[in-house]
Amino acid sequence: MGEENVTRLHLHLVSDSTGETLESLVKAGLAQFADVDAVKHYWPMVRSEGHLDRVLDEVSRTPGLVLYTLVARNVRARLETRCAALGLPVIAVMDPVIEGLERMLGTRAESRPGGQHRMDEAYFGRIEAIHWTMEHDDGLLPHEWEDADLVLAGVSRSSKTPTSVYLANRGYKVANIPLVPNRPIPPELFELKKPLIVGLTVAPERLMQVRRARILGHDTAGISAKYADPDAVADELNSARRMFADRGWPVIDVTRRSIEETAAELMNLLGMRREVG
């Protein structure tokens, strides 16, 4: 089937826990549709209106279907209201199941975020990994990167953040750093011993497409005029690839990979490294 027949869809998965339930439901649902290029955006641990507002600011940049598992009434109401204002479809995926159980059992469900998970060691490990990864997104806290399992490096819009969040849901602590022209790279990146450092790259045409989509219809304040310029994009990618090669870091081309495929390759690299080590 040609690419012109493929439907591209952004799915935003908003959860007050790790988001595993949403991920499983979405995976099962998408399996029923052919020729769909689904881009999944993961937004775990959303438990306050302030956090939700930050998430929805990002959602508005890549509009699509919003699916959620949220317990707090005020957060749910705000999500529904803001999605309606943005013209975005929104679905509370667990509500029909919970309502059916309430009718059959004759009792109300308890309002406990993430209540479907056993509070075991693995669960708490995932929660810790999610918090750690979110605190070390976009080049933050480089002095703590030695505690990471993975450090992802790549130019802007090379899927670093969604890949990091996906891996955090699997219990990995992941830091990521954007390689931005004329912005110094933290020296800590070149001194790391424990984490596996991986470079993410993407085809120039695909990167320009993604960056242009970000610019269109949005405030471009703070965005360089060369952000989506073909020559500038090619220079950025070439510079990043040279750095990856010079350092001997493994590289993954994310152009035709889903977030899940990229994450799977990263987990494979970690596994091979541990076998060798």
Side-chain angles (χ1 to χ4, degrees), residues 137-187:
D137 182 39
D138 205 33
L140 295 176
L141 305 177
H143 61 284
E144 297 181 358
W145 289 354
E146 189 62 38
D147 295 328
D149 297 300
L150 274 162
V151 177
L152 305 181
V155 301
S156 174
R157 299 287 145 170
S158 55
S159 303
K160 297 182 300 299
T161 294
T163 303
S164 297
V165 173
Y166 185 95
L167 287 163
N169 271 279
R170 295 293 179 276
Y172 297 97
K173 293 180 180 179
V174 187
N176 72 75
I177 175 170
L179 305 178
V180 181
N182 303 317
R183 181 187 296 181
I185 297 172

Side-chain angles (χ1 to χ4, degrees), residues 224-260:
S224 168
K226 295 183 177 181
Y227 186 68
D229 175 77
D231 291 335
V233 166
D235 287 344
E236 274 188 65
L237 289 168
N238 288 334
S239 177
R241 290 189 185 108
R242 282 196 299 271
M243 185 179 78
F244 301 154
D246 290 345
R247 298 283 169 174
W249 295 337
V251 178
I252 296 177
D253 188 332
V254 303
T255 306
R256 297 188 179 277
R257 293 177 188 259
S258 65
I259 298 301
E260 294 90 340

